[in-house]
């Protein structure tokens, strides 16, 4: 007997309703997967559903492309080394308005929709915020009908998988492509030769680059569909292939390994994503990856332009190229090279054409994150580009002769990619109001003086489709029931919640929605982490890359102090808390890894303490990624955004929490400033030094010692950590860490400790006043409209790209 009677004869279903989603799923199961429904696994069903959903995207995708060609509309090209996409299937069903239908279809086949959704690997082709921003932008550009291509690398291995062993981070390779990836289309016809190394030669009075290595960049296209399927753009990822597949001579001589060498070498280019977030290592392979992406993209862009136009001087009328950080900053010299060497344009004409096409987004003020290549490495890998960079430098110097503020691209035998990107872009943008100001004042003051109109601000945003509609069904249902549909594409409509928030009934519903999410998360933590938490406790969440400037250390030290206070007085009226951490450290970042271990060690002790019991739990699920963010954020009561002021460029995690109704405890840093402005002081737990105060504080070499000596709590906490209370098997494990807080503490953990601790006390008393807390949480949602990436993209379209919607 068949397990599912309705599958008795799937082929009948097909002929009966050829257009229905169900029929299409069954058709793919049979003809694409070659599986009988009888024997289909979760994987088979997921693939069949994915293909059936993908079919629905193809039509709008073709239509969008056709319309762009027909109207000669300007296109945006978003160049990024990272796209932190996450899972695609559910997002696609939501944007196509097919989620309920898909769920019902799977149920009719006896399949659990959630299990199907969670079977999909999380596409982690990025490290954190920068890559996730690129993914949100792709979705918003599709929603707004902005004709666009995303260009990136199809890494075989995305960001490593994290697990904990004895509290320590252990990295394992990630292999999202082990299974077939149903969302992409292979485009072997879109392939370009990418040259490297070699030397320059004089030929007929011209400099000619004779490369000694080449690889082929081959395209893989993933359609990105916008809200309600009105428009779809392409994410084009490049895979590296050898120019010559195989050395047959060597093979015939019996040298089998060597015969396959060219292939192996080429493929390393798109093999792995560098796992460094906010630092760079100056590795030759990374430079090659950056050039590989950029050259392939630019060759593709010129080919597309020349398919309908002839005059390359008109390129800026048709093409806007955005550089996501300096990683693709070689685009300036490479576009000039293609225009000059391949298309015969004079350098003096090529430079302004290139600049009019290019925009540069700066993502960080941390000096260690600004890419600089030794001229030796740069000139070795890209000899022609070394010449062009020097030409650009000379041209810029000449253009501003006599001006006092000149600053060079090549300095101290290094090519400085920030300066190169700045000089070669017609617009340079920061990612929050504060950050854009600091770019002007601290990062590029000389270049800003020369080009006072070039730096503009584009505060980041996140897509409300994924980060509210999709990940928080209880809340988005309540919102639609209250203010109607439409907010998904016009997030400012959430303002309409302000009035209902004044009513008891709405607040009760809002609270109930949050509680559903908290119960769900509690169940997941129980099954996944083996820990029981009380869903009525305050869920306090800090999830992001582990970095000293983000100050997870501040959080865990305060947690220890709080625990100690509970133990001193266990019968006081404590608000129960669950401290939730999530995040990966770069594999080579020893200090960050030590912080991870400390958090896990502290969790082990606190979670097993019968005195604090349910009043305090610390959980740190391993392998934070987009899917985990989607699970944690809707269940959060409190958003931890506690970076040292002046160090977080924007943050986007902070926006996701706000949209999902979690008030922030945070510093005046990045987009926190704008969140505070939107939501109002009374709905935000502000603490800590400002950027100016932090800079002044560092001038005092004794700042850390003084702060510690002034705080009894911090002294006690550091003492406990130093003497091994959380590492009984190795008492001196955290000696170095505590020593660094006392004597270095560049990120001012000690100096902000008391202010943070006091803010946490304010959180507790606010949470105890339930009605007011729920109101505060709901107002965070109601006032979050500004943080939609639709707003950000509209602003780029107007201020940077000069492109209109094609809808
Ligand atoms: C949003 C997001 C980030 C960025 O978080 P910040 O708190 O802004 O650093 C990083 N990783 C993932 C998986 C995200 O979804």
């Amino acid at each position: 007997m068949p397990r599912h009677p309705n599958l008795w004869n799937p082929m009948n279903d097909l002929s009966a309703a050829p257009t229905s989603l169900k029929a299409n799923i069954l058709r793919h199961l049979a003809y694409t997967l070659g599986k009988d429904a009888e024997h289909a696994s979760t994987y088979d069903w997921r693939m069949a559903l994915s293909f059936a959903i993908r079919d629905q995207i193809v039509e709008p995708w073709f239509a969008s492309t056709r319309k762009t060609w027909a109207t000669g509309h300007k296109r945006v090209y978003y160049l990024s080394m990272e796209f932190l996409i996450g899972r695609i299937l559910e997002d696609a069903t939501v944007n196509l308005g097919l989620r309920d239908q898909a769920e019902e279809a799977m149920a009719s086949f006896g399949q659990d929709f959630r299990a199907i959704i969670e079977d999909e690997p999380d596409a982690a082709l990025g490290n954190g915020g920068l890559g996730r921003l690129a993914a949100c932008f792709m979705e918003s550009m599709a929603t707004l009908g902005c004709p666009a291509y995303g260009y990136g690398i199809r890494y075989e291995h995305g960001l490593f998988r994290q697990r904990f062993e004895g509290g320590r981070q252990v990295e394992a390779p990630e292999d999202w492509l082990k299974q077939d990836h149903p969302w992409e289309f292979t485009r072997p016809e879109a392939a370009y030769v990418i040259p490297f190394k070699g030397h320059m030669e004089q030929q007929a009075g011209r400099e000619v680059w004779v490369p000694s290595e080449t690889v082929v960049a081959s395209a893989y296209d993933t359609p990105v569909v916008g809200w309600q399927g009105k428009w779809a753009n392409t994410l084009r990822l490049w895979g590296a292939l050898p120019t010559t597949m195989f050395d047959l001579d060597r093979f015939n001589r019996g040298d089998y390994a060597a015969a396959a060498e060219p292939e192996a070498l080429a493929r390393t280019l798109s093999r792995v994503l560098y796992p460094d977030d906010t630092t760079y290592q100056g590795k030759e392979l990374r430079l090659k990856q950056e050039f590989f992406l950029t050259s392939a993209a630019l060759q593709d862009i010129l080919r597309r332009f020349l398919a309908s136009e002839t005059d390359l001087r008109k390129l800026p009328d048709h093409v806007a190229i955005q550089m996501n950080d300096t990683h693709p900053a070689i685009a300036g010299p490479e576009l000039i090279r293609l225009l000059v060497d391949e298309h015969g344009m004079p350098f003096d004409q090529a430079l302004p054409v290139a600049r009019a096409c290019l925009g540069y987004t700066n993502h960080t003020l941390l000096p260690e994150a600004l890419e600089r290549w030794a001229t030796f490495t740069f000139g070795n890998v890209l000899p022609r580009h070394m010449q062009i960079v020097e030409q650009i430098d000379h041209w810029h110097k000449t253009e501003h002769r006599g001006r006092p503020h000149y600053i060079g691209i090549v300095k101290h035998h290094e090519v400085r990619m920030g300066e190169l990107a700045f000089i070669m872009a017609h617009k340079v943008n920061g990612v929050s109001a504060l950050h854009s100001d600091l770019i002007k004042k601290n990062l590029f003051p000389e270049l800003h003086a020369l080009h006072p109109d070039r730096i503009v601000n584009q505060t980041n945003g996140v897509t409300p489709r994924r980060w509210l509609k999709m990940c928080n069904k209880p809340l988005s249902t309540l919102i639609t029931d209250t203010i109607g549909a439409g907010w998904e594409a016009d997030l400012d409509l959430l303002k309409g919640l302000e009035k209902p928030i004044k009513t008891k009934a709405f607040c009760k519903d809002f609270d109930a929605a949050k509680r559903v999410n908290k119960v769900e998360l509690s169940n997941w933590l129980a099954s996944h982490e083996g820990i029981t938490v009380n869903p009525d406790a305050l869920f306090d969440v800090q999830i992001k890359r582990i970095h000293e400037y983000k100050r997870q250390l501040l959080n865990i030290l305060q947690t220890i102090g709080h625990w100690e206070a509970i133990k001193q007085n266990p019968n006081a009226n404590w608000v129960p808390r669950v401290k939730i951490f999530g995040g990966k450290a770069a594999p080579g970042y020893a200090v960050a890894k030590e912080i991870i271990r400390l958090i896990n060690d502290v969790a082990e002790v606190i979670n097993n303490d019968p005195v604090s019991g349910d009043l305090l739990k610390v959980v740190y699920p391993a392998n934070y990624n987009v899917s985990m963010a989607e699970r944690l954020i809707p269940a959060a009561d409190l958003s931890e955004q506690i970076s040292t002021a002046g160090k977080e460029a924007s943050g986007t995690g902070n926006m996701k929490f706000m949209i999902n109704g979690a008030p922030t405890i945070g510093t005046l840093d990045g987009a926190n400033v704008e969140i505070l402005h939107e939501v109002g002081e009374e709905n935000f737990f502000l603490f800590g030094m400002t950027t100016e105060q932090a800079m002044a504080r560092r001038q005092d070499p004794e700042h850390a010692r003084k702060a510690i000596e002034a705080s009894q709590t911090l002294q006690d906490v550091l003492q406990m950590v130093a003497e091994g209370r959380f590492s009984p098997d190795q008492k001196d494990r955290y000696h170095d860490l505590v020593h660094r807080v006392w004597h270095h503490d560049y990120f001012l953990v000690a100096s902000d400790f008391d202010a943070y601790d006091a803010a946490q006390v304010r959180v507790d008393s606010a949470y105890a006043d339930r009605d007011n807390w729920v109101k505060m949480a709901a107002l965070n949602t109601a006032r979050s409209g500004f943080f939609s990436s639709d707003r950000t993209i509209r602003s780029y379209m107007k201020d940077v790209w000069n492109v209109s919607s094609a809808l």
Side-chain angles (χ1 to χ4, degrees):
M1 273 300 285
R3 268 176 301 164
H4 315 300
N6 51 337
L7 295 184
W8 178 244
N9 189 348
M11 295 314 129
N12 276 351
D13 229 27
L14 261 187
S15 50
T19 54
S20 87
L21 182 63
K22 274 189 211 175
N24 213 4
I25 295 167
L26 292 175
R27 186 175 60 81
H28 277 295
L29 191 68
Y31 297 119
T32 311
L33 278 297
K35 276 286 170 110
D36 186 335
E38 276 295 279
H39 305 292
S41 63
T42 303
Y43 168 79
D44 299 321
W45 283 111
R46 170 171 64 84
M47 293 298 272
L49 175 60
S50 299
F51 285 124
I53 294 293
R54 194 184 72 171
D55 288 351
Q56 305 290 311
I57 301 176
V58 168
E59 268 310 311
W61 192 30
F62 287 176
S64 304
T65 308
R66 270 189 232 115
K67 188 164 181 191
T68 308
W69 278 108
T71 56
H73 207 283
K74 188 172 183 177
R75 296 176 177 92
V76 171
Y77 295 101
Y78 199 82
L79 270 58
S80 180
M81 285 289 279
E82 306 192 4
F83 285 91
L84 188 48
I85 304 161
R87 292 178 177 139
I88 296 174
L89 173 55
E90 189 178 16
D91 187 56
T93 64
V94 165
N95 272 1
L96 292 169
L98 292 174
R99 180 160 63 174
D100 291 347
Q101 230 180 297
E103 183 161 6
E104 191 229 273
M106 295 328 282
S108 78
F109 303 139
Q111 299 300 314
D112 175 23
F113 185 62
R114 283 279 22 120
I116 300 264
I117 293 299
E118 287 172 21
D119 182 62
E120 183 178 354
D122 188 295
L125 308 184
N127 275 286
L130 173 148
R132 185 52 235 174
L133 184 76
C136 282
F137 279 8
M138 288 305 297
E139 201 272 354
S140 273
M141 289 190 284
T143 291
L144 296 173
C146 170
Y149 280 76
Y151 281 119
I153 294 180
R154 184 176 177 272
Y155 301 107
E156 239 172 90
H157 304 287
L159 186 60
F160 66 86
R161 249 200 289 266
Q162 176 196 55
R163 69 196 148 81
F164 298 133
E165 272 178 21
R168 271 175 296 199
Q169 168 172 298
V170 177
E171 302 99 22
E174 183 276 354
D175 52 3
W176 71 298
L177 288 176
K178 200 170 73 182
Q179 301 172 332
D180 283 342
H181 181 50
W183 300 101
E184 71 183 5
F185 295 88
T186 310
R187 303 286 194 217
E189 76 281 11
Y192 301 94
V193 174
I194 313 296
F196 296 105
K197 301 200 168 179
H199 63 278
M200 301 301 303
E201 253 175 45
Q202 289 280 334
Q203 285 179 17
R206 289 200 320 132
E207 292 273 6
V208 175
W209 180 13
V210 185
S212 61
E213 279 179 25
T214 53
V215 299
V216 171
S218 187
Y220 297 80
D221 287 353
T222 303
V224 179
V225 68
W227 174 240
Q228 295 184 327
K230 290 180 190 152
W231 190 267
N233 286 321
T234 303
L235 174 61
R236 173 160 279 191
L237 301 179
W238 302 102
L241 297 175
T243 326
T244 47
M245 265 310 214
F246 199 69
D247 193 334
L248 195 59
D249 272 352
R250 278 175 158 175
F251 184 83
N252 288 338
R253 274 184 269 121
D255 197 352
Y256 304 120
E261 223 168 67
E263 182 172 2
L265 264 175
R267 287 190 195 242
T268 55
L269 268 186
S270 54
R271 184 95 62 197
V272 282
L273 165 76
Y274 274 90
D276 299 275
D277 189 54
T278 71
T279 56
Y280 79 101
Q281 299 194 354
K283 291 266 163 47
E284 182 181 297
L285 178 62
R286 170 71 180 195
L287 179 60
K288 283 177 143 185
Q289 285 186 332
E290 293 179 354
F291 181 65
F292 171 77
L293 155 69
T294 307
S295 180
L298 291 175
Q299 292 186 55
D300 201 36
I301 292 167
L302 290 186
R303 181 206 38 88
R304 192 170 298 111
F305 174 83
L306 291 171
S308 60
E309 300 285 326
T310 49
D311 186 354
L312 279 163
R313 287 171 302 183
K314 290 197 183 138
L315 196 64
D317 299 339
H318 297 266
V319 166
I321 301 167
Q322 194 62 28
M323 300 182 281
N324 196 22
D325 213 320
T326 57
H327 314 149
I330 194 66
E334 172 65 356
L335 185 48
I336 292 177
R337 179 186 78 88
L338 293 169
L339 293 174
V340 172
D341 294 2
E342 310 270 316
H343 298 281
M345 193 185 277
F347 175 87
D348 285 355
Q349 219 172 71
L351 190 147
V353 166
R355 192 179 45 190
C357 294
L358 291 165
Y360 159 48
T361 303
N362 174 277
H363 280 273
T364 176
L365 301 160
L366 300 178
E368 66 269 31
L370 292 173
E371 288 184 300
R372 290 175 276 114
W373 298 100
T375 47
F376 174 80
T377 308
F378 194 93
N380 180 37
V381 175
L382 303 168
R384 176 62 179 135
H385 299 78
M386 192 69 237
Q387 291 183 335
I388 294 173
V389 165
E390 277 159 2
Q391 256 179 303
I392 297 169
D393 222 1
H394 177 76
W395 171 88
H396 189 249
K397 203 179 284 190
T398 312
E399 195 185 37
H400 300 284
R401 209 195 318 266
R403 300 282 288 269
H405 295 304
Y406 172 72
I407 193 158
I409 300 168
V410 182
K411 251 195 175 171
H412 308 308
H413 306 290
E414 286 181 325
V415 183
R416 306 193 303 173
M417 302 305 270
E419 279 77 5
L420 173 62
F422 192 113
I423 290 169
M424 282 309 302
H426 72 285
K427 283 283 184 286
V428 174
N429 75 280
V431 288
S432 72
L434 175 67
H435 174 233
S436 295
D437 271 354
L438 294 173
I439 291 179
K440 292 179 189 170
K441 283 197 199 115
N442 300 343
L443 196 62
F444 297 122
E446 296 91 351
L447 285 170
H448 173 57
L450 286 183
H451 308 283
D453 299 329
R454 194 165 296 183
I455 299 176
V456 294
N457 177 56
Q458 304 292 339
T459 298
N460 284 167
V462 299
T463 165
R465 273 73 65 185
R466 180 180 289 263
W467 293 110
L468 179 54
K469 179 85 177 173
M470 185 190 101
C471 73
N472 195 342
K473 218 173 170 186
L475 180 55
S476 46
T477 304
L478 172 63
I479 292 170
T480 303
D481 289 349
T482 310
I483 61 171
W487 54 269
E488 297 93 336
D490 183 1
L491 206 62
D492 288 325
L493 291 177
L494 293 182
K495 280 261 179 300
L497 294 172
E498 297 241 3
K499 257 203 190 134
I501 286 172
K502 296 192 176 108
T503 67
K504 274 222 164 66
F506 178 84
C507 286
K508 195 165 145 264
D509 291 345
F510 189 94
D511 199 20
K514 180 67 79 181
R515 194 161 193 290
V516 168
N517 297 329
K518 290 174 73 175
V519 168
E520 222 165 78
L521 178 60
S522 306
N523 293 339
W524 182 79
L525 287 172
S527 66
H528 201 258
E529 299 294 308
I531 184 165
T532 311
V533 301
N534 172 7
D536 292 315
L538 189 163
F539 283 15
D540 168 339
V541 185
Q542 186 173 23
I543 45 174
K544 48 184 74 243
R545 283 300 283 254
I546 309 298
H547 201 292
E548 287 165 280
Y549 86 81
K550 292 178 182 275
R551 297 202 294 192
Q552 284 90 357
L553 182 59
L554 177 60
N555 187 344
I556 196 65
L557 292 179
Q558 192 275 337
T559 303
I560 295 170
H562 183 59
W563 177 59
E564 187 57 25
I566 293 174
K567 287 170 77 71
Q568 299 293 329
N569 193 0
N571 296 320
N573 219 357
W574 300 105
V575 173
R577 271 214 202 210
V578 181
K579 281 270 182 186
I580 302 172
F581 291 85
K584 297 173 183 177
Y589 190 174
V591 174
K593 289 179 133 177
E594 209 173 13
I595 294 169
I596 290 180
R597 193 176 190 189
L598 176 63
I599 297 169
N600 281 321
D601 278 350
V602 169
E604 179 72 21
V605 171
I606 292 183
N607 295 344
N608 290 304
D609 178 16
V611 179
S612 52
D614 249 8
L615 294 178
L616 184 61
K617 294 286 175 203
V618 181
V619 274
Y620 191 168
N623 203 39
Y624 176 57
N625 58 13
V626 171
S627 306
M628 193 190 289
E630 289 161 7
R631 194 186 290 283
L632 295 183
I633 291 169
D637 290 308
L638 185 66
S639 163
E640 296 268 358
Q641 309 299 337
I642 60 178
S643 53
T644 316
K647 296 297 175 189
E648 185 75 87
S650 164
T652 48
N654 48 2
M655 303 168 185
K656 300 169 195 163
F657 282 99
M658 182 195 193
I659 294 177
N660 284 279
T664 302
I665 181 167
T667 48
L668 270 182
D669 201 16
N672 291 357
V673 177
E674 287 148 273
I675 289 177
L676 173 69
H677 174 80
E678 295 291 319
V679 80
E681 264 173 31
E682 66 286 6
N683 302 306
F684 187 112
F685 298 92
L686 179 67
F687 76 94
M689 285 175 286
T690 62
T691 304
E692 288 73 29
Q693 288 166 344
M695 283 163 65
R697 182 86 188 155
R698 285 196 197 97
Q699 298 306 307
D700 179 356
E702 301 279 281
H703 64 83
R705 188 180 55 76
K706 286 179 185 166
I708 296 167
E709 284 172 354
S711 167
Q712 190 59 52
T713 310
L714 181 55
Q715 259 176 67
D716 294 347
V717 167
L718 289 174
Q719 183 64 29
M720 287 163 75
V721 175
E723 68 189 27
R725 279 285 289 281
F726 306 99
S727 51
D729 52 326
Q730 186 194 354
K731 300 250 185 233
D732 64 354
R733 183 175 296 157
Y734 296 110
H735 262 180
D736 286 356
L737 185 146
V738 172
H739 185 271
R740 273 196 306 275
V741 177
W742 273 92
H743 299 284
H744 302 288
D745 197 24
Y746 176 79
F747 294 101
L748 304 170
V749 167
S751 296
D752 266 343
F753 183 89
D754 277 353
Y756 178 58
D757 196 37
Q760 289 288 19
V761 172
R762 280 188 275 136
V763 169
D764 274 339
S765 42
Y767 196 76
D769 178 356
R770 285 305 299 160
D771 292 349
N772 196 54
W773 180 275
V774 175
K775 214 177 108 203
M776 189 189 311
L779 283 172
N780 267 271
T781 298
R783 296 174 182 174
S784 65
F786 182 74
F787 299 103
S788 165
S789 46
D790 297 347
R791 185 267 310 150
T792 315
I793 288 298
R794 277 198 190 92
S795 176
Y796 273 94
M797 289 168 72
K798 184 168 150 296
D799 300 345
V800 181
W801 302 332
N802 188 28
V803 55
S804 59
S805 169
L807 276 177

